[in-house]
Amino acid sequence: MTATRIALIGLGGMGRGLAKNMLLAGLDLTVADLDAGAVALAVSQGAKAGASPVDMARNADVLAVCITTAEAVQALALGPNGLLAAMKPGSIFLDHTTVSVEHVDVMRQACEDHGIDYVEAPMTRTPIHADRGEVNILFGGSEALLERLRPIFDTYAENIFHVGPAGHAIRLKLIHNYIAFANVASFCEGFALAAKEGLDMTKVIGIISAAGGKSGMMDLYGEMTLRRDFTPHMSLANAQKDVRYYAEWLESAGMPGFMAQSIHQTYALASIMGHADEGCTAVIKPYEEFSGVEAALPPKTDN
């Protein structure tokens, strides 16, 4: 696989870590991103800077994208001047973006029309895990296609889950993200209420986590939230986007989505109020603005 020419478009929170670990493993990698600084960092680690996305597509055996939305991927990939039109038959379009269910069907058909293999491989965990080469990959597709990509995945993934045929990976990823972000929205609402009612905020997380309210997302972000750290390890905008895709899928499947729509509107409100580029737990801020009370732990002291 070291002779395989890989191109990666997207060096954001997750893509930056993928590039780093592929380069540490000695893979042939060309990169592109709207952020020139992110490209320069990857080049300093051994990557080549792509002349243009289309040029990268033309020369790659595996073209990976790790960007923001399904709409952004399709804008790059489809059409007479898109990435797919430039790619070689038999090459692979590797989609690490968290997209919609509909997008996977559209892209798989478009790739098939160009003689290209489409791979849906959404990831779980955080940019910290990506930097350490410890993401989880959810793979939907054939075993043969997975084995072609495994030497690449092994450079940046701790776990590779073959979840079923094409289309199953994004479905499971959206379910995962909906549950995770619904959990964030619920504990942020609870934190805001606790602060408004004057509860001892030093005890809130510990008591909740000692029983059924314990969760992975609270372990990751609970104390950060109450320390007023809204670093966008997982941005509110991405949380809103993922919950929206889930709610749209739920409706298209003919199932009621009262909770999903409520969670989506909760994130949408926080976004409208100016918090889209902050971390996902900034969903707490509208509650605080309504109550006039900030949910926070007391400042740390030397004692």
Side-chain angles (χ1 to χ4, degrees):
M1 258 337 244
T2 54
T4 299
R5 291 171 296 182
I6 306 162
L8 173 62
I9 297 173
L11 297 172
M14 299 296 279
R16 186 166 55 246
L18 306 190
K20 170 190 167 182
N21 285 288
M22 282 190 276
L23 293 166
L24 286 173
L27 301 189
D28 182 346
L29 180 65
T30 303
V31 299
D33 193 271
L34 294 174
D35 181 352
V39 173
L41 175 62
V43 169
S44 74
Q45 295 168 337
K48 291 172 282 190
S52 71
V54 168
D55 184 68
M56 292 166 64
R58 187 177 295 116
N59 293 300
D61 300 308
V62 176
L63 175 63
V65 293
C66 187
I67 52 179
T68 52
T69 66
E71 294 81 2
V73 175
Q74 290 185 32
L76 274 175
L78 304 182
N81 299 313
L83 302 179
L84 299 189
M87 293 178 71
K88 301 173 296 186
S91 56
I92 295 173
F93 189 96
L94 172 56
D95 200 344
H96 276 314
T97 308
T98 299
V99 294
S100 65
V101 168
E102 180 185 55
H103 167 89
V104 169
D105 296 334
V106 168
M107 287 299 299
R108 187 169 66 246
Q109 184 60 57
C111 285
E112 185 178 318
D113 292 344
H114 285 85
I116 298 161
D117 287 309
Y118 177 75
V119 172
E120 51 153 356
M123 299 175 288
T124 60
R125 295 187 168 171
T126 69
I128 294 170
H129 295 95
D131 186 70
R132 297 199 300 241
E134 296 174 353
V135 302
N136 294 327
I137 291 176
L138 281 60
F139 178 89
S142 71
E143 186 67 34
L145 195 51
L146 173 56
E147 291 309 308
R148 286 176 64 188
L149 289 167
R150 190 178 294 276
I152 296 175
F153 291 161
D154 281 342
T155 68
Y156 51 80
E158 181 176 17
N159 299 298
I160 304 167
F161 298 107
H162 190 182
V163 301
H168 283 205
I170 194 59
R171 285 168 167 82
L172 190 53
K173 173 65 189 293
L174 289 176
I175 290 170
H176 167 275
N177 279 22
Y178 166 69
I179 293 171
F181 292 131
N183 181 247
V184 169
S186 66
F187 74 66
C188 283
E189 180 183 275
F191 288 175
L193 180 59
K196 181 179 184 298
E197 294 295 298
L199 275 63
D200 183 346
M201 300 305 292
T202 66
K203 298 178 180 177
V204 171
I205 293 175
I207 290 172
I208 293 172
S209 295
K214 180 177 175 62
S215 72
M217 292 301 275
M218 188 179 292
D219 288 345
L220 280 172
Y221 297 123
E223 184 170 345
M224 286 177 60
T225 305
L226 297 183
R227 294 288 180 200
R228 315 306 296 167
D229 181 351
F230 298 103
T231 304
H233 302 297
M234 185 66 67
S235 75
L236 189 142
N238 277 338
Q240 181 190 352
K241 177 260 299 185
D242 292 353
V243 175
R244 172 171 63 86
Y245 287 156
Y246 174 85
E248 291 170 349
W249 170 36
L250 196 67
E251 182 176 347
S252 70
M255 295 180 66
F258 305 111
M259 288 179 59
Q261 291 294 345
S262 295
I263 297 299
H264 175 243
Q265 291 303 318
T266 301
Y267 282 100
L269 175 62
S271 180
I272 291 167
M273 294 176 73
H275 307 298
D277 295 331
E278 299 178 67
C280 60
T281 61
V283 73
I284 198 172
K285 291 189 174 183
Y287 291 103
E288 295 174 330
E289 293 182 41
F290 297 147
S291 71
V293 180
E294 189 175 86
L297 293 168
K300 289 183 177 180
T301 66
D302 291 340
N303 292 330

Short mmCIF file of all heavy atoms in Angstrom, two decimals, residues 25 133 137 149-158 160:
data_model
loop_
_atom_site.label_atom_id
_atom_site.label_comp_id
_atom_site.label_asym_id
_atom_site.label_seq_id
_atom_site.Cartn_x
_atom_site.Cartn_y
_atom_site.Cartn_z
N ALA A 25 3.35 6.74 8.92
CA ALA A 25 3.45 5.37 8.42
C ALA A 25 4.12 5.30 7.05
O ALA A 25 4.29 4.21 6.49
CB ALA A 25 2.06 4.75 8.35
N GLY A 133 -4.15 8.63 16.36
CA GLY A 133 -4.35 7.46 15.51
C GLY A 133 -5.30 6.45 16.13
O GLY A 133 -5.14 5.24 15.95
N ILE A 137 -13.59 3.60 12.91
CA ILE A 137 -14.12 3.68 11.55
C ILE A 137 -15.31 2.74 11.43
O ILE A 137 -15.23 1.57 11.80
CB ILE A 137 -13.05 3.32 10.50
CG1 ILE A 137 -11.98 4.40 10.46
CG2 ILE A 137 -13.69 3.14 9.13
CD1 ILE A 137 -10.84 4.10 9.52
N LEU A 149 -8.47 -1.30 1.70
CA LEU A 149 -8.24 -0.05 2.45
C LEU A 149 -7.67 -0.26 3.84
O LEU A 149 -7.20 0.69 4.47
CB LEU A 149 -9.56 0.72 2.57
CG LEU A 149 -10.07 1.33 1.26
CD1 LEU A 149 -11.51 1.77 1.41
CD2 LEU A 149 -9.19 2.50 0.82
N ARG A 150 -7.68 -1.48 4.32
CA ARG A 150 -7.26 -1.72 5.70
C ARG A 150 -5.86 -1.20 6.01
O ARG A 150 -5.63 -0.62 7.09
CB ARG A 150 -7.37 -3.21 6.04
CG ARG A 150 -7.19 -3.50 7.53
CD ARG A 150 -7.35 -4.98 7.83
NE ARG A 150 -8.70 -5.46 7.58
CZ ARG A 150 -9.69 -5.36 8.45
NH1 ARG A 150 -9.48 -4.79 9.64
NH2 ARG A 150 -10.88 -5.84 8.16
N PRO A 151 -4.86 -1.35 5.11
CA PRO A 151 -3.53 -0.82 5.43
C PRO A 151 -3.53 0.70 5.64
O PRO A 151 -2.69 1.21 6.38
CB PRO A 151 -2.69 -1.21 4.21
CG PRO A 151 -3.38 -2.41 3.65
CD PRO A 151 -4.84 -2.14 3.86
N ILE A 152 -4.45 1.41 4.99
CA ILE A 152 -4.58 2.85 5.23
C ILE A 152 -5.27 3.09 6.56
O ILE A 152 -4.80 3.86 7.41
CB ILE A 152 -5.35 3.54 4.08
CG1 ILE A 152 -4.57 3.40 2.77
CG2 ILE A 152 -5.59 5.01 4.41
CD1 ILE A 152 -5.31 3.95 1.57
N PHE A 153 -6.42 2.44 6.75
CA PHE A 153 -7.18 2.61 7.99
C PHE A 153 -6.33 2.29 9.22
O PHE A 153 -6.44 2.96 10.26
CB PHE A 153 -8.41 1.71 8.00
CG PHE A 153 -9.48 2.09 7.02
CD1 PHE A 153 -10.46 1.17 6.65
CD2 PHE A 153 -9.55 3.37 6.47
CE1 PHE A 153 -11.46 1.51 5.77
CE2 PHE A 153 -10.55 3.72 5.57
CZ PHE A 153 -11.51 2.77 5.21
N ASP A 154 -5.49 1.28 9.11
CA ASP A 154 -4.69 0.86 10.27
C ASP A 154 -3.73 1.94 10.74
O ASP A 154 -3.28 1.90 11.89
CB ASP A 154 -3.90 -0.40 9.93
CG ASP A 154 -4.75 -1.67 9.99
OD1 ASP A 154 -5.83 -1.63 10.60
OD2 ASP A 154 -4.31 -2.70 9.44
N THR A 155 -3.43 2.92 9.90
CA THR A 155 -2.51 3.97 10.31
C THR A 155 -3.17 4.98 11.25
O THR A 155 -2.47 5.67 12.01
CB THR A 155 -1.92 4.73 9.10
OG1 THR A 155 -2.94 5.49 8.46
CG2 THR A 155 -1.28 3.77 8.11
N TYR A 156 -4.51 5.09 11.21
CA TYR A 156 -5.14 6.11 12.05
C TYR A 156 -6.36 5.62 12.83
O TYR A 156 -7.03 6.41 13.49
CB TYR A 156 -5.52 7.35 11.24
CG TYR A 156 -6.31 7.14 9.97
CD1 TYR A 156 -7.68 6.92 9.99
CD2 TYR A 156 -5.68 7.20 8.72
CE1 TYR A 156 -8.42 6.77 8.83
CE2 TYR A 156 -6.39 7.05 7.55
CZ TYR A 156 -7.76 6.83 7.60
OH TYR A 156 -8.47 6.68 6.43
N ALA A 157 -6.67 4.33 12.76
CA ALA A 157 -7.84 3.81 13.46
C ALA A 157 -7.44 2.79 14.51
O ALA A 157 -6.59 1.93 14.27
CB ALA A 157 -8.80 3.17 12.47
N GLU A 158 -8.07 2.90 15.67
CA GLU A 158 -7.93 1.86 16.68
C GLU A 158 -8.89 0.71 16.41
O GLU A 158 -8.55 -0.46 16.60
CB GLU A 158 -8.18 2.43 18.08
CG GLU A 158 -8.02 1.38 19.17
CD GLU A 158 -8.16 1.95 20.57
OE1 GLU A 158 -8.71 3.06 20.72
OE2 GLU A 158 -7.72 1.28 21.51
N ILE A 160 -11.89 -0.80 13.57
CA ILE A 160 -12.53 -0.76 12.26
C ILE A 160 -13.74 -1.69 12.35
O ILE A 160 -13.59 -2.90 12.47
CB ILE A 160 -11.59 -1.22 11.13
CG1 ILE A 160 -10.31 -0.38 11.12
CG2 ILE A 160 -12.30 -1.15 9.79
CD1 ILE A 160 -9.21 -0.94 10.25
#
